[in-house]
Amino acid sequence: MTGRRLTSLIAYVTTAATGVSLLTGCGVLPGATGGSREPVTVMTWAPDQTRATNMPGMPAMAQAYARWVNSQGGLDGHELRVLTCNEQNTTAGAAACARRAVREGAVAVVGSYSQNGRAFMAPLEAAGIPYIGGYGISEDEFTSPLSYPVNGGQASLIAGHGMQLAAGCRKVSLVRPDTIAGDKLPDLLNSGLRKASHRKAIDIPAVEDAAEYTEQADRARARAGDEGGCVTAVLGERTQTFFDSFRRLPEEEKDKDGSTVRISSVLGSVGQPLIDRTGGAHSPFEGAFVTGWYPDADDGSWAPMRKVIKEHAFVDNRVDPSDAGVQTTWIAYTVLKQVVESLDSDRVTAVQLSHALDNGVRIDTGGLTPALRWRYDDLLGAPGFPRIVNHDVTFQVVRQGRLVAQKPGFVDVGETVLAAP
């Protein structure tokens, strides 16, 4: 080959390679999702196969979301990579998941569940990694400057539940976990009851992972009374176990005067999947009051999530669109998507994400929550829960086996949370 021909061939190959590079950078090549933009790695964790509350649908929803968004070209051109971790409902498990997120370069932890806030927030804070849209079960989610909650957590649910029960219950018994987190629930419920000049609830602590609750059920039933009494249980996944024990109480203990005690709970302890599993319209939860964060599962606002689940998680029975954990994860990833889009950057870092969130990027969740922002002025500032920005709840009731709205729209419980001791 002559020198001239070799030079021409090299020039051709170089030009062709440059053209391919340019096409790749523009995202033109078939199958390209991010072009020159770097992938965005995040983590979603939740407990699974434990004796207490399990939330396998949350990491499963995160994986389905990643499949969907990457099929659409990624997050503003960035491939979304989701790491998942079993938090195991232990402090060691939560800390291990957080350390793995740091080690593997996650820029955020998104849509996760853990009661062990102190164990996971310290490693995240040390690495500057934001915690976006946690389930809202731990106090640290509402105190850490790197936490960006999408709901009002247990505080809003329980305070709102007190308001819901005050309108329909003469006396209330509260069965709740005998834990540090559970110790806060009576004051929150009572703040809602006081909103309607109602008496305090009877507080009945219980072991969180007990195999049966006959003693607590008997006590709750007796203290609530027979005329207009209500028994509410907030025990996470063990709520079903409690109401099984409640249902098996001797008939004379359940209904002395011909009237029945009404049962109630909050979303996350009772939800549509549990109602379906226990008989639907014939479920023991028929007629129960339930307070939730979001619209009921049949609301049209959930249509985009349902479409993603149908197309990208249709064979995964962990992903139930009626599950509060799945719903929270969807909203959390909606936040992540809009924040990344607001950056319009080839590389996304943890610092960029937290800076954008702190400086007022406004998130539209399509009616699932009010518009979300985490500026200082947007924070509720409630004692113990200063970082609540969404203090709306929904009042629901079980009718013909379906959780439906007891009253339309959202109920703002911000003042009630602020009034809690």
Side-chain angles (χ1 to χ4, degrees):
M1 181 178 292
T2 66
R4 179 177 294 179
R5 290 179 64 192
L6 180 60
T7 301
S8 298
L9 179 59
I10 292 172
Y12 171 79
V13 171
T14 302
T15 302
T18 302
V20 170
S21 176
L22 288 172
L23 288 173
T24 303
C26 295
V28 175
L29 287 180
T33 58
S36 63
R37 296 201 153 180
E38 294 185 9
V40 170
T41 300
V42 300
M43 177 177 278
T44 297
W45 62 54
D48 191 15
Q49 299 180 338
T50 74
R51 293 184 59 192
T53 298
N54 295 295
M55 288 284 180
M58 298 181 76
M61 180 71 242
Q63 292 170 323
Y65 189 96
R67 288 192 291 271
W68 166 68
V69 82
N70 288 334
S71 75
Q72 306 296 309
L75 296 175
D76 197 32
H78 299 268
E79 178 192 359
L80 175 61
R81 297 178 178 173
V82 173
L83 308 172
T84 62
C85 190
N86 184 357
E87 182 268 358
Q88 300 176 347
N89 264 327
T90 65
T91 55
C97 286
R99 288 194 299 267
R100 183 181 157 213
V102 175
R103 187 172 63 249
E104 299 195 25
V107 297
V109 174
V110 185
S112 297
Y113 181 104
S114 177
Q115 300 185 50
N116 303 292
R118 192 165 300 175
F120 71 74
M121 278 308 311
L124 296 185
E125 288 175 344
I129 297 174
Y131 188 72
I132 299 173
Y135 188 81
I137 196 71
S138 72
E139 182 176 332
D140 294 75
E141 295 176 60
F142 299 99
T143 58
S144 171
L146 279 175
S147 179
Y148 302 89
V150 298
N151 58 48
Q154 288 285 93
S156 292
L157 278 187
I158 302 301
H161 198 52
M163 293 173 63
Q164 185 180 19
L165 294 181
C169 305
R170 181 171 167 269
K171 293 170 68 177
V172 177
S173 291
L174 169 66
V175 183
R176 49 84 175 179
D178 190 8
T179 62
I180 293 174
D183 289 344
K184 297 181 179 298
L185 302 188
D187 285 341
L188 288 163
L189 187 75
N190 289 332
S191 70
L193 291 172
R194 281 198 304 271
K195 194 80 172 175
S197 301
H198 206 284
R199 70 181 73 185
K200 288 184 177 181
I202 295 94
D203 179 27
I204 302 176
V207 176
E208 187 177 28
D209 59 355
E212 58 86 28
Y213 292 95
T214 302
E215 180 184 347
Q216 291 84 359
D218 192 15
R219 184 180 169 205
R221 176 66 184 80
R223 296 295 300 275
D226 299 304
E227 297 181 4
C230 290
V231 170
T232 186
V234 184
L235 293 166
E237 199 167 81
R238 293 290 167 154
T239 302
Q240 177 181 355
T241 304
F242 170 81
F243 282 119
D244 282 344
S245 297
F246 183 84
R247 184 167 52 88
R248 290 184 173 88
L249 290 177
E251 190 65 25
E252 62 269 20
E253 292 297 322
K254 290 172 60 181
D255 192 0
K256 292 178 180 177
D257 300 323
S259 59
T260 58
V261 170
R262 196 159 191 171
I263 63 174
S264 72
S265 190
V266 297
L267 212 62
S269 287
V270 170
Q272 192 60 53
L274 174 57
I275 296 165
D276 293 340
R277 287 197 309 271
T278 54
H282 302 289
S283 164
F285 297 102
E286 183 68 19
F289 294 126
V290 179
T291 304
W293 291 304
Y294 316 124
D296 64 85
D298 294 329
D299 190 278
S301 302
W302 295 111
M305 181 190 72
R306 288 181 174 275
K307 185 173 186 292
V308 169
I309 292 173
K310 181 179 179 181
E311 294 178 357
H312 296 274
F314 62 95
V315 295
D316 192 338
N317 59 14
R318 296 173 299 170
V319 186
D320 189 324
S322 302
D323 179 74
V326 169
Q327 294 172 347
T328 300
T329 302
W330 169 263
I331 294 171
Y333 274 89
T334 299
V335 173
L336 177 70
K337 183 175 186 291
Q338 293 184 32
V339 176
V340 171
E341 289 171 347
S342 76
L343 296 176
D344 189 24
S345 174
D346 288 343
R347 181 171 181 261
V348 174
T349 66
V351 172
Q352 286 177 307
L353 291 176
S354 56
H355 182 76
L357 290 162
D358 291 338
N359 282 276
V361 61
R362 184 180 184 275
I363 307 300
D364 179 2
T365 63
L368 299 174
T369 69
L372 300 173
R373 288 189 306 188
W374 292 269
R375 300 173 309 173
Y376 179 80
D377 291 344
D378 300 313
L379 306 180
L380 180 63
F385 310 96
R387 290 192 64 79
I388 290 178
V389 296
N390 173 13
H391 30 87
D392 285 358
V393 298
T394 56
F395 291 167
Q396 302 176 31
V397 66
V398 183
R399 293 194 182 118
Q400 297 183 340
R402 298 296 300 174
L403 264 173
V404 298
Q406 182 188 16
K407 60 181 295 185
F410 292 101
V411 178
D412 188 339
V413 298
E415 290 185 6
T416 308
V417 175
L418 284 169

